[in-house]
Amino acid sequence: MNDVSNIKVSQLTDEQITQAWKKIQDMGVSEQDAYKILIQKGMPPDQVEALKDRITLLGLNKNQQVKLIPEKKKVDFSREENDSVLKPLIVRPRSGSRPSTDLQVYGADFFNQVDIRFEPNFSVATPKGYILGPGDEIIVLLTGLNESTQRIKISPDGNVSMDHAGIVYVNGFTIEQATNLIKSRMAKVYPALNSGQTHLTVNLGNTRSIKITILGEVKAPGSYTMSSLSTLFNALYNSGGPNTNGSLRYIELIRNNKLYKTVDFYSFLQKGLLDGNVRLEDQDVIRIPVYKKRVSISGEVKNPAIFELKENESLEDLINYAGGYTDIAYKGIAKIDQINTLQREVKDVPSNLFSNYIPHNGDLVQIGAITNRYTNRIILEGSVYRPGVYELTVGFTLAQLLKNAQGLKPDAYMERGYIKRTLPNLEKDLISFKPGDIINGKNDIPLFREDSVVILNQDIFTSNQKVIIEGFVRKPSVFTYRKGLRLADVIAMAGGFADEAADHHVEVSRIIQNQSDTVANKLVQTFTVNMDTLLGGKNDIELQPMDFIYVPRLVNYRSLGNVSVKGEVAFPGDYAVQRRDETVIDFLKRAGGITPYGSVENAQVYRKGIRVNIDLNVTTIHDSTTNRKMILLPGDSVYIPRVISYVEVSGAVNNPQYISYNGHRFKYYINAAAGTTENARLKGAYIKYPDGLNMPVRQFLFFRNYPSVKPGSKIIVPEKTPDSRFKINFGDIGGIAAALTAIVSIIAILHK
């Protein structure tokens, strides 16, 4: 402790560190003050820090009240998941010469699955055969008498720098070999390693990246940068797998310029075996050659596809690769479409040769289905208790079949049944029988395979007869005819009469069943029934099939309807229609008459929103013909406008305004509104009268006829539009020519 300037803590043993610590304690100073004294005596700061670590690792300062040195760091033994892969772009596969089919190459779609991820497992224990290299990280752990942990990355030179042990070269060694090298080097610093009191463990931390090359018939050939824990299957998945011509049965792994292993990917696809999933090493080469033999299989197999076969694999192996037969497959023979030297040929291979027959490249194997025909089936249908399919046995007869079906139903037709049979020459045959005789043990019939026995039901001989009721009943309906059905029954089933029904005049129409061979004129018989006279049902009428019943409405029944009277009347409102011939004048009287301000000449009547042209001039009120025209219906409305003594001029005039009516003509009111504007189209002007009628300006040749003006009128002058410019058609030209000819003729006559 006197000369500490040249001390190397890494060269001190645990005993020397312990002795130095006892001297510090004997000095009576704290640990922190002791470190300050060492620095003052010339000990380098990095060596002071190293001494702190050694004291802490040995646990010498654990009894101190205040720990000035941080606690021992917990070492993270996990590995970083460096699963990033640098790979080239996918190359478009070369198209083969094989004709396109609907079948896919088996195993090709496995590499296109987005839900399947082949990635290295970074959580596995350190592989014993893993070879270390630059970039790998190792975790050195001492336990027992000496405790120490270090995470050390292998330098590009292949060395690791160990605390207290110096530099150890581990490149190219396995984990097992590197453990022995490090142990022999650290035993000099930690003698307890030799005695077994201290144990050394070396684990793999973060892994390095390796470069591999994938070439041949692969979708993305080139150089790949991957984790050193990657396997052959990881590389295949990242490359996209073999292309159209690539082989899955002869994948080659080349290491150190030698063929290291040939992998058959079918062992994984078929059985899930990972024996070919070897771990890759730096500079490995994966080569996918061109396939040697591919055979297609379709039809009744569970997985139809194009399979790659080895040279010695048989047709039986191909069927096993396809998952075996389906439930309806015909296993006796396989049809093979084969390519020979010049053309195609077809071969039928029996099942006993499947294990010996070796398919050729390009063969198309077809597995057929069994025929849809039964060898011992009989079908029973119709009016029996247990219809369905039955087994045909030797000597099976129709009587035994009906007995197995628990006999006939009560509604079975006992006079006729039939058997539909297909003869060996494929002709169709029909055999009739009496079910009653078969049940009684008479005329039994033997059955053959595929016979179809039909037992008829009596319902097929009964027509579906109906009775119809329409008109003013609550539920007009069609009822099934039953014997004993009466008129009152049908009316009751229809919900009874409606409020407006004429129950004293119910009409029944019945078809006349005329069996004569001559054409009759009368086809239906109709009679009227007064339901009020059917006392207690004694005189009720029994109906027959296809009878048609109609209940009319009461002659004088009308639903309550109103007429709306509005405007200048004493009592405006809605008034119910009392009579069929009630007129406008009648409703005006019921409304209290027209007020002194009402204009009866301009009265307006509307029906369903459309104006009705009714003239209520006082001179025509007492005319009987006019009165008939003024009859109103429910829903009509009458409006009496107010007397207006002005004339409104609007539209394309210079000063639109209301002008007092003084009996003048049309042009007077136009001029009173300061005349028309430049864009005015006087030809299209019109008057809207207070009674709702409109009257336009009429024109013949160059002469205009203006409508008369009444009090309350509205003169409207429209503006010109692009479509209203001056146009003359052939009709106008003909009219003008005729007028000019007439004028010339008149002038000539007057001149004479």
Side-chain angles (χ1 to χ4, degrees):
M1 296 297 292
N2 295 325
D3 185 12
V4 294
S5 58
N6 297 320
I7 288 181
K8 299 295 183 181
V9 177
S10 60
Q11 298 177 359
L12 299 178
T13 63
D14 291 347
E15 291 80 3
Q16 292 173 332
I17 296 295
T18 303
Q19 293 175 5
W21 176 252
K22 288 180 180 180
K23 289 184 179 181
I24 293 175
Q25 287 183 324
D26 294 339
M27 292 170 60
V29 296
S30 64
E31 183 180 2
Q32 185 176 9
D33 293 339
Y35 295 147
K36 292 180 179 178
I37 293 173
L38 292 176
I39 294 175
Q40 292 175 0
K41 288 186 176 183
M43 190 173 186
D46 58 338
Q47 295 301 320
V48 174
E49 292 296 327
L51 180 61
K52 290 181 183 179
D53 294 339
R54 291 290 299 275
I55 292 174
T56 302
L57 291 174
L58 294 173
L60 300 177
N61 58 353
K62 59 183 178 181
N63 295 325
Q64 296 292 323
Q65 296 295 330
V66 179
K67 294 184 178 180
L68 301 178
I69 299 178
E71 296 181 0
K72 184 173 69 171
K73 298 180 181 179
K74 294 182 179 179
V75 178
D76 184 11
F77 290 93
S78 63
R79 303 189 186 101
E80 294 182 0
E81 296 187 3
N82 183 18
D83 57 349
S84 60
V85 179
L86 299 178
K87 57 184 180 180
L89 298 176
I90 294 179
V91 179
R92 180 178 296 178
R94 301 190 300 272
S95 59
S97 59
R98 183 181 184 86
S100 60
T101 62
D102 295 335
L103 300 177
Q104 300 294 327
V105 176
Y106 177 73
D109 57 345
F110 177 82
F111 298 96
N112 300 326
Q113 298 291 331
V114 295
D115 296 330
I116 299 177
R117 294 185 61 86
F118 263 102
E119 296 175 348
N121 187 0
F122 293 93
S123 300
V124 296
T126 302
K128 291 184 179 180
Y130 183 82
I131 298 177
L132 296 174
D136 283 335
E137 184 183 48
I138 60 174
I139 302 173
V140 181
L141 176 64
L142 283 177
T143 58
L145 183 62
N146 306 109
E147 293 186 359
S148 173
T149 54
Q150 300 181 62
R151 293 183 71 104
I152 310 169
K153 189 174 183 180
I154 301 175
S155 67
D157 296 333
N159 299 321
V160 290
S161 179
M162 307 286 301
D163 291 342
H164 318 307
I167 297 175
V168 180
Y169 184 79
V170 295
N171 182 36
F173 294 100
T174 64
I175 287 288
E176 222 176 320
Q177 294 169 341
T179 301
N180 295 329
L181 289 174
I182 295 173
K183 182 177 180 180
S184 62
R185 184 64 62 88
M186 295 190 70
K188 298 178 181 179
V189 182
Y190 300 99
L193 285 172
N194 295 325
S195 62
Q197 294 177 323
T198 300
H199 299 280
L200 174 68
T201 304
V202 178
N203 293 323
L204 180 65
N206 296 330
T207 60
R208 69 186 187 277
S209 296
I210 61 174
K211 286 185 176 294
I212 64 167
T213 303
I214 304 178
L215 50 83
E217 300 298 325
V218 65
K219 292 182 180 177
S223 179
Y224 288 75
T225 300
M226 307 177 68
S227 169
S228 59
L229 290 178
S230 300
T231 63
L232 176 65
F233 289 0
N234 303 146
L236 286 178
Y237 182 80
N238 285 302
S239 67
N243 60 20
T244 306
N245 298 322
S247 172
L248 283 174
R249 308 298 304 273
Y250 299 97
I251 301 174
E252 299 176 355
L253 175 60
I254 300 172
R255 181 172 295 171
N256 298 326
N257 296 324
K258 295 181 180 180
L259 180 61
Y260 179 77
K261 188 177 183 61
T262 300
V263 177
D264 184 358
F265 201 69
Y266 272 28
S267 62
F268 173 72
L269 294 176
Q270 290 283 324
K271 303 176 183 179
L273 301 179
L274 293 173
D275 54 346
N277 193 22
V278 295
R279 190 173 64 254
L280 299 176
E281 295 183 5
D282 192 30
Q283 302 304 320
D284 277 354
V285 176
I286 300 174
R287 176 179 174 271
I288 299 181
V290 178
Y291 72 89
K292 297 180 180 179
K293 182 199 296 186
R294 281 183 181 171
V295 180
S296 303
I297 183 169
S298 60
E300 298 304 325
V301 289
K302 295 177 181 177
N303 186 17
I306 303 172
F307 292 90
E308 182 180 354
L309 298 183
K310 293 184 176 180
E311 293 298 331
N312 59 345
E313 288 183 329
S314 63
L315 179 57
E316 185 177 19
D317 297 325
L318 175 64
I319 296 174
N320 292 332
Y321 286 149
Y325 299 103
T326 63
D327 298 336
I328 61 172
Y330 175 63
K331 305 175 184 179
I333 196 171
K335 294 185 177 296
I336 300 179
D337 187 344
Q338 194 169 88
I339 302 175
N340 57 24
T341 306
L342 298 177
Q343 56 190 351
R344 289 182 176 272
E345 62 181 8
V346 177
K347 289 185 178 181
D348 291 340
V349 180
S351 58
N352 59 347
L353 297 180
F354 283 0
S355 59
N356 298 323
Y357 182 81
I358 305 299
H360 296 175
N361 182 38
D363 281 359
L364 304 176
V365 180
Q366 176 72 28
I367 304 298
I370 60 175
T371 58
N372 190 19
R373 188 179 180 186
Y374 292 85
T375 59
N376 62 341
R377 182 180 67 169
I378 294 176
I379 301 175
L380 176 61
E381 55 184 315
S383 187
V384 293
Y385 282 106
R386 298 183 63 84
V389 178
Y390 287 85
E391 178 187 3
L392 175 65
T393 57
V394 178
F396 199 61
T397 63
L398 180 58
Q400 293 174 333
L401 176 64
L402 297 180
K403 182 179 179 181
N404 292 346
Q406 304 299 321
L408 306 179
K409 289 184 178 180
D411 56 358
Y413 183 59
M414 306 298 291
E415 298 298 324
R416 181 69 62 180
Y418 55 89
I419 301 173
K420 295 183 288 185
R421 176 173 295 171
T422 301
L423 299 177
N425 58 1
L426 300 182
E427 291 184 359
K428 305 296 182 181
D429 197 5
L430 184 70
I431 302 173
S432 301
F433 62 90
K434 285 187 177 182
D437 292 347
I438 302 299
I439 294 297
N440 295 327
K442 300 179 181 179
N443 303 324
D444 198 3
I445 301 174
L447 297 177
F448 300 135
R449 76 168 189 174
E450 293 297 319
D451 278 357
S452 179
V453 181
V454 180
I455 303 298
L456 302 176
N457 194 300
Q458 294 181 5
D459 290 345
I460 64 174
F461 302 102
T462 304
S463 61
N464 190 12
Q465 298 171 328
K466 303 291 183 181
V467 173
I468 304 173
I469 182 169
E470 297 286 350
F472 290 88
V473 290
R474 299 188 186 279
K475 296 179 181 179
S477 306
V478 178
F479 298 102
T480 300
Y481 172 76
R482 301 179 186 277
K483 190 174 182 180
L485 187 66
R486 296 183 177 274
L487 178 60
D489 299 330
V490 174
I491 294 175
M493 288 188 293
F497 294 109
D499 296 336
E500 62 269 35
D503 55 357
H504 64 283
H505 195 84
V506 178
E507 185 178 271
V508 180
S509 300
R510 180 170 296 167
I511 297 175
I512 300 175
Q513 296 183 355
N514 191 339
Q515 298 181 355
S516 64
D517 295 336
T518 59
V519 178
N521 183 38
K522 188 175 182 181
L523 303 177
V524 178
Q525 179 183 359
T526 302
F527 48 91
T528 304
V529 180
N530 185 357
M531 297 300 294
D532 294 336
T533 62
L534 302 180
L535 301 176
K538 294 181 180 180
N539 299 323
D540 199 357
I541 298 176
E542 184 174 352
L543 299 177
Q544 294 183 6
M546 303 306 295
D547 278 357
F548 178 79
I549 304 163
Y550 180 74
V551 180
R553 188 181 66 175
L554 291 171
V555 176
N556 296 313
Y557 184 90
R558 291 291 184 276
S559 59
L560 184 64
N562 298 329
V563 171
S564 178
V565 181
K566 298 180 181 180
E568 293 297 329
V569 292
F571 306 105
D574 295 335
Y575 292 87
V577 179
Q578 297 176 342
R579 305 187 313 275
R580 295 177 185 270
D581 59 348
E582 202 165 5
T583 63
V584 179
I585 304 301
D586 296 331
F587 282 100
L588 292 177
K589 290 179 180 179
R590 292 171 62 184
I594 302 174
T595 66
Y597 305 102
S599 175
V600 67
E601 295 84 359
N602 296 324
Q604 302 174 19
V605 178
Y606 293 91
R607 177 168 295 164
K608 296 181 180 180
I610 301 175
R611 188 181 179 280
V612 181
N613 187 14
I614 295 180
D615 187 7
L616 295 183
N617 196 337
V618 179
T619 58
T620 61
I621 289 178
H622 302 290
D623 186 3
S624 60
T625 303
T626 304
N627 283 339
R628 286 195 298 271
K629 294 181 180 180
M630 290 191 291
I631 296 175
L632 297 183
L633 300 177
D636 290 350
S637 61
V638 181
Y639 175 70
I640 304 298
R642 190 180 182 89
V643 175
I644 302 175
S645 58
Y646 293 94
V647 175
E648 180 184 358
V649 183
S650 62
V653 292
N654 291 315
N655 188 14
Q657 58 181 299
Y658 289 92
I659 304 170
S660 298
Y661 177 77
N662 49 20
H664 288 86
R665 296 188 176 181
F666 186 91
K667 291 288 287 184
Y668 169 81
Y669 297 99
I670 296 294
N671 294 330
T676 59
T677 63
E678 294 181 357
N679 295 327
R681 190 166 65 90
L682 194 59
K683 179 181 178 180
Y686 63 95
I687 294 181
K688 186 175 183 179
Y689 293 112
D691 60 355
L693 294 178
N694 298 328
M695 186 66 68
V697 174
R698 297 177 180 175
Q699 183 170 349
F700 177 73
L701 295 180
F702 303 105
F703 305 100
R704 288 178 181 166
N705 183 15
Y706 296 99
S708 59
V709 182
K710 298 179 181 180
S713 298
K714 182 177 181 180
I715 301 174
I716 302 173
V717 180
E719 293 184 349
K720 292 180 180 179
T721 60
D723 295 335
S724 62
R725 55 182 178 268
F726 182 75
K727 296 179 181 179
I728 299 179
N729 53 31
F730 289 105
D732 295 335
I733 295 175
I736 294 173
L740 292 176
T741 303
I743 293 173
V744 171
S745 300
I746 293 173
I747 294 174
I749 293 172
L750 293 176
H751 181 71
K752 293 180 179 180

